[in-house]
Amino acid sequence: MQDLAIRFMALRLAVAAGWRSWEHMGAGGAIKPDGMVLLTHSPYGPGWAYLEYEQSARRTQKLSGKLRGYASDLRQDDWPVLVVAWDDKAKRILHELGREMRVRMITTTRGRLAGHDAMGSAAIWSMYGVPVPLVLDQVRN
């Protein structure tokens, strides 16, 4: 996660620590993102997006728990979530669960992100299997 945040910051993009937006919703789940980034162009329009760099959740049950907060009607916002999945199998599970839960989500894998710019190419990020370029705006001084 730190590497991804550093890449965004190196491009002078607005990035925030995830603890700034922790949201507990009781039995409805929680949102505890690893970070946040300000998007100006994405399939979901401009605005903040949560960042989840998922190292441990790789199977259906854990990934379902991870997405539950993002699907909750108790959320304080409707920001999309960018998820870096462990591998293609975890990404497929995320897509299946996210569709079912109606989570606004854009995904990639650690392998696709390795050695590539975090934005630009639609070959890196996808919205439920549809390749999408992720375009972020630079913060102006």
Side-chain angles (χ1 to χ4, degrees):
M1 171 55 205
Q2 187 175 1
D3 179 60
L4 181 57
I6 288 170
R7 289 191 216 183
F8 289 152
M9 288 186 287
L11 296 171
R12 297 180 40 181
L13 302 173
V15 175
W19 58 263
R20 292 183 168 270
S21 190
W22 281 16
E23 190 175 348
H24 300 280
M25 295 170 267
I31 294 177
K32 295 181 179 181
D34 296 316
M36 299 177 303
V37 64
L38 185 60
L39 301 171
T40 57
H41 298 91
S42 84
Y44 299 111
W48 284 96
Y50 293 107
L51 295 173
E52 290 283 0
Y53 201 97
E54 206 39 64
Q55 298 275 357
S56 61
R58 301 178 196 175
R59 304 226 190 303
T60 302
Q61 185 175 355
K62 282 200 170 197
L63 290 168
S64 178
K66 177 62 76 172
L67 292 182
R68 187 177 30 239
Y70 292 105
S72 175
D73 291 335
L74 301 174
R75 285 181 64 181
Q76 66 184 358
D77 58 53
D78 192 25
W79 297 347
V81 58
L82 305 179
V83 182
V84 179
W86 181 259
D87 58 15
D88 285 326
K89 181 179 179 182
K91 184 178 168 184
R92 282 190 299 275
I93 294 169
L94 282 164
H95 288 180
E96 181 180 311
L97 293 169
R99 266 192 204 99
E100 185 178 302
M101 296 179 180
R102 298 179 186 215
V103 175
R104 293 169 15 117
M105 181 172 58
I106 299 170
T107 58
T108 191
T109 63
R110 294 176 316 121
R112 279 194 186 84
L113 203 53
H116 293 95
D117 187 10
M119 294 83 55
S121 172
I124 299 170
W125 296 94
S126 73
M127 183 176 68
Y128 294 102
V130 177
V132 295
L134 190 60
V135 180
L136 302 128
D137 196 18
Q138 294 183 351
V139 176
R140 291 176 175 55
N141 290 335

